[in-house]
Amino acid sequence: MRQPLVAGNWKMNGSRASVSELLGGLKSGIGAVNTAEVAVCAPFIYIPDTQMQLDGTAIKWGGQDVSTHESGAYTGEISAQMLTDFACHFVIIGHSERRAYHGESDALVAEKFTAARAAGLVPILCVGETLDERERGVTEQVVARQLDAVIEHCGIDLVGEGVVAYEPVWAIGTGKTASPEQAQEVHAFIRGRLAANSQAVADATRVLYGGSMNPKNAAELMAQPDIDGGLIGGASLKADDFLAVCKAANR
Ligand code: 13P
């Protein structure tokens, strides 16, 4: 059975003070959350504080992006090794905001996946269609293209060492959640795509849903057979909301 995973993506939010308060709330509330794996992906600059506060708790942490390079003259970049230096477990790869605002291509995302795994990080690979793509009926083609780029570059076994997150772009930060049926349909498609390469990887790989997941809709989404947890934006910024989503993931 796949262990559910709930990961918070704080994006570019918070201050040193608010991060400390949020982590304090998560630490005191997490005791009641048991079977699901829980993580927060912090802005780089708050990762040291996150490590200090979460060390020794059941909550893991990670970054929101990573360089393809190991080290060198890459101003502004953060390497996978630097993330592991601060005991990061996860790193988000290919978030739609990075694809859209930083021009990240499928090929670059695949290279980032490789760099993350090489350092021992667990990549959370984001895929998902825009509203325009959904309306044009090309959701599956888009998701297949994004997924296949990584499978072809890294090999299916390496992909199986990561996590996939289906995040329909039109549902991110909009309050418009995919219905459980809509999400399940794409999750099943993703699992089928993995199965076409390896049934074992398809069976073992967690596929998270992301896009306006919150305490109200989390249980229903996570009850779907191919939804193994969530990648949570807005609702991960409030300890009570995030913990409620984590509880909804318990099996
Ligand atoms: P929201 O939960 O704010 O819609 O964000 C989802 C997301 O992009 C997580 O990576």
Side-chain angles (χ1 to χ4, degrees), residues 126-138:
C126 299
V127 299
E129 81 289 2
T130 62
L131 182 59
D132 174 60
E133 289 163 339
R134 173 159 284 262
E135 285 173 348
R136 284 192 286 119
V138 294

Side-chain angles (χ1 to χ4, degrees), residues 53-66:
Q53 283 203 60
L54 293 185
D55 208 16
T57 73
I59 308 171
K60 299 183 170 98
W61 57 93
Q64 301 171 9
D65 182 34
V66 71

Side-chain angles (χ1 to χ4, degrees), residues 71 80 87 100 102-103 106 175 187 189 195 212:
S71 66
H102 300 272
D106 293 332
H187 279 240
F189 174 77
S212 299

Side-chain angles (χ1 to χ4, degrees), residues 7-11 13 92 95-97 124 126 165 167-177 209-214 230-237:
N9 174 10
W10 293 349
K11 309 193 179 185
N13 289 297
I92 297 170
H95 192 280
S96 61
E97 286 148 17
I124 301 176
C126 299
E167 297 208 316
V169 178
W170 50 271
I172 295 177
T174 57
K176 239 194 251 174
T177 322
Y209 169 80
S212 299
M213 196 187 257
N214 59 45
L231 185 56
I232 319 299
S236 73
L237 298 171

Side-chain angles (χ1 to χ4, degrees), residues 17-174:
S18 74
V19 161
S20 171
E21 192 185 323
L22 174 56
L23 290 169
L26 295 181
K27 261 170 75 166
S28 53
I30 196 68
V33 176
N34 39 38
T35 61
E37 190 174 26
V38 175
V40 294
C41 294
F44 289 135
I45 193 124
Y46 297 131
I47 288 176
D49 283 5
T50 302
Q51 178 187 16
M52 264 188 291
Q53 283 203 60
L54 293 185
D55 208 16
T57 73
I59 308 171
K60 299 183 170 98
W61 57 93
Q64 301 171 9
D65 182 34
V66 71
S67 173
T68 57
H69 302 285
E70 282 180 23
S71 66
Y74 301 103
T75 302
E77 293 275 83
I78 300 284
S79 73
Q81 188 66 54
M82 290 170 181
L83 292 177
T84 57
D85 223 0
F86 288 86
C88 284
H89 187 81
F90 292 101
V91 65
I92 297 170
I93 304 276
H95 192 280
S96 61
E97 286 148 17
R98 300 230 36 107
R99 293 180 192 257
Y101 309 143
H102 300 272
E104 292 196 3
S105 64
D106 293 332
L108 184 80
V109 169
E111 280 183 50
K112 289 188 172 194
F113 193 103
T114 308
R117 264 322 284 150
L121 293 164
V122 176
I124 301 176
L125 168 68
C126 299
V127 299
E129 81 289 2
T130 62
L131 182 59
D132 174 60
E133 289 163 339
R134 173 159 284 262
E135 285 173 348
R136 284 192 286 119
V138 294
T139 296
E140 292 189 352
Q141 282 99 306
V142 169
V143 168
R145 191 200 73 224
Q146 293 171 335
L147 198 58
D148 289 353
V150 183
I151 296 173
E152 279 159 26
H153 185 266
C154 305
I156 188 66
D157 290 335
L158 205 73
V159 171
E161 294 173 12
V163 174
V164 178
Y166 169 57
E167 297 208 316
V169 178
W170 50 271
I172 295 177
T174 57

